[in-house]
Amino acid sequence: MATASVAFKSREDHRKQLELEEARKAGLAPAEVDEDGKEINPHIPQYMSSAPWYLNAERPSLKHQRKWKSDPNYTKSWYDRGAKIFQADKYRKGACENCGAMTHNVKLCMERPRKKGAKWTNMHIAPDEKIETFELDYDGKRDRWNGYDAATYARIIERYEARDEARRKYLKEQQLKKLEEKNNKENGEGNVSDEDEDEDALKVDEAKVDESKQMDFAKVEKRVRTTGGGSTGTVRNLRIREDTAKYLLNLDVNSAYYDPKTRSMREDPLPDADPNEKFYGGDNQYRVSGQAMEFKQLNIHAWEAFEKGQDIHMQAAPSQAELLYKNYKIIKEKLKLQMKDAIMEKYGNAATDAKLPRELLMGQTERQVEYDRAGRVIKGLETSLPKSKYEEDVYINNHTSVWGSWWKDHQWGYKCCKQTIRNSYCTGAAGIEAAEAAADLMKANIDRKAASEETPVPAEEKRLATWGNDVPDDLLLDQKQLTEALKKEDERKKEEKDERKRKYNVRWNDKVTAEEMEAYRMKRIHYDDPMKDFLH
């Protein structure tokens, strides 16, 4: 029989218990009885939750498994939070060096570490905490809500309700204030139309509606991934039920595609309609308006900055990326302003209200200019040529003009002496005459030589060999050599078909005769010939 483990005070008690159990087995001692005075059947295991029917047991017994009777030492109470027992006036030996309480040491102190502890200042001694110890039962140790005060949650509910009430009150006051302002304006102007009165009544009714109900109008709870088919989520992109559904705006099957799962229609269902009359132009219009464009610019700036070597990542550190983009825009704006100021300072600003000087406005000046009858300037207005950063009008070697001032026969030269050799000494007019005389003499010599030479007799062109596809009409071939060339061509073809007959040392002859060329042309396969497959 399985029995519960019992703690004995001494070995003598343990020995007496064993002797009593042996006497009961032999029938020499009375049987063990339970609390109700009934005899315990030794053949029924005490750990069984339900005894077999043939043992005639009235009810199961689990006394040895758990304490079925509650222990009076166990309690349901909990710690008294924040309770204090004694407030000392000065520091006591053995107390906490930081706050001065006797119930803990400095390592376990929960107060803020002081610059100088209570041990040295002997001031602001913290009271001693109330230390309690409880002996909890099995359920008490595992109770999640043991010691929880429900009144604390009631305070949270009251705080949230007070906030919602204040918010509703504020919104209602704002709406009523706007309506009063509008009514005062209309009373000052004159009569009010019936439509305006209806609109005002409608706004008053909306102001009286509970603001929380208006907030939850577009809130729909759907079940997704639960035992019934889904998790609980919130959908806030639903349309107002009075408006026409976006998929009913254009019933053409070839119009904008509507995705029923995401309830999105990216394209415009009515692209030809008047934009002032239609209230929906597709979901893509939200991607190119509002803060969507700013977010795209922020992403592009993060990508470009990362490619240029900066440690920036939009997804890993979005706040850093946004701050850098903000600084980038500020610096860019400053650079634009600086450039604008520099240009205006250099060239002036025609858009300013400052009056121009009278001399510039009327075009008057003290300079005297003389013109002829044709309108050409005679005196007083000399045109100034622009200067470059290079040296100009530097004459060397007695020249009176610069290099490149004269051009003849695709050659540059000096205009003063008409020489085409750079860095040469200037010869003046005498050099020009000598150069012209030399050129005339050279022309005369060329003409004399051309007249004395006889025209050569043209040699007859002898075409022995033929190459390509053009065959001359006067081609003469030796029949004997042509026959030998045909035989050689046949042998060469056989060697190409059978690799085993090819010799190891191959000798090539670069000299090709007309007969060999003709034999190659005759034996060649013409791939455009429709009868090429019947040739042997």
Side-chain angles (χ1 to χ4, degrees), residues 224-244:
V224 187
R225 294 186 183 172
T226 58
T227 54
S231 103
T232 308
T234 304
V235 179
R236 294 189 179 274
N237 60 349
L238 295 180
R239 61 182 174 84
I240 302 176
R241 294 308 179 192
E242 289 79 5
D243 297 337
T244 306

Side-chain angles (χ1 to χ4, degrees), residues 156-168:
I156 295 174
I157 295 175
E158 291 176 359
R159 185 169 68 250
Y160 275 89
E161 288 179 351
R163 187 193 66 176
D164 294 341
E165 184 65 26
R167 184 179 181 184
R168 286 194 294 269

Side-chain angles (χ1 to χ4, degrees), residues 168-180:
R168 286 194 294 269
K169 185 177 179 181
Y170 174 75
L171 292 175
K172 190 172 181 180
E173 290 177 355
Q174 292 295 325
Q175 290 179 356
L176 294 174
K177 186 176 180 181
K178 290 180 180 179
L179 290 175
E180 290 177 359

Side-chain angles (χ1 to χ4, degrees), residues 308-436:
K308 293 179 181 178
Q310 292 190 13
D311 189 9
I312 179 174
H313 197 282
M314 183 60 196
Q315 283 70 33
S319 301
Q320 179 192 9
E322 189 173 359
L323 182 60
L324 289 176
Y325 180 59
K326 185 178 180 181
N327 295 336
Y328 164 76
K329 290 195 295 184
I330 294 173
I331 295 172
K332 184 178 180 181
E333 193 66 26
K334 287 183 179 179
L335 291 176
K336 283 185 178 180
L337 293 175
Q338 291 178 2
M339 186 179 296
K340 183 179 178 181
D341 295 340
I343 293 173
M344 291 174 62
E345 183 180 356
K346 185 174 183 180
Y347 300 103
N349 186 8
T352 56
D353 297 333
K355 294 183 179 181
L356 294 174
R358 187 176 181 82
E359 293 80 7
L360 295 177
L361 189 62
M362 304 301 293
Q364 297 179 357
T365 178
E366 298 295 333
R367 180 183 295 180
Q368 184 178 359
V369 183
E370 297 182 5
Y371 300 92
D372 59 1
R373 300 183 68 178
R376 292 185 294 269
V377 177
I378 299 174
K379 183 182 178 183
L381 188 62
E382 293 80 9
T383 58
S384 60
L385 299 176
K387 296 288 186 179
S388 65
K389 65 179 181 179
Y390 303 101
E391 294 182 354
E392 296 184 5
D393 300 333
V394 178
Y395 307 115
I396 60 174
N397 297 335
N398 202 27
H399 287 285
T400 57
S401 60
V402 296
W403 168 261
S405 58
W406 186 65
W407 169 264
K408 185 179 180 182
D409 297 336
H410 303 283
Q411 288 183 340
W412 293 103
Y414 294 99
K415 185 179 179 180
C416 56
C417 58
K418 295 185 179 180
Q419 292 193 62
T420 57
I421 300 174
R422 192 170 186 179
N423 296 328
S424 62
Y425 193 81
C426 182
T427 57
I432 296 174
E433 294 177 357
E436 290 178 353

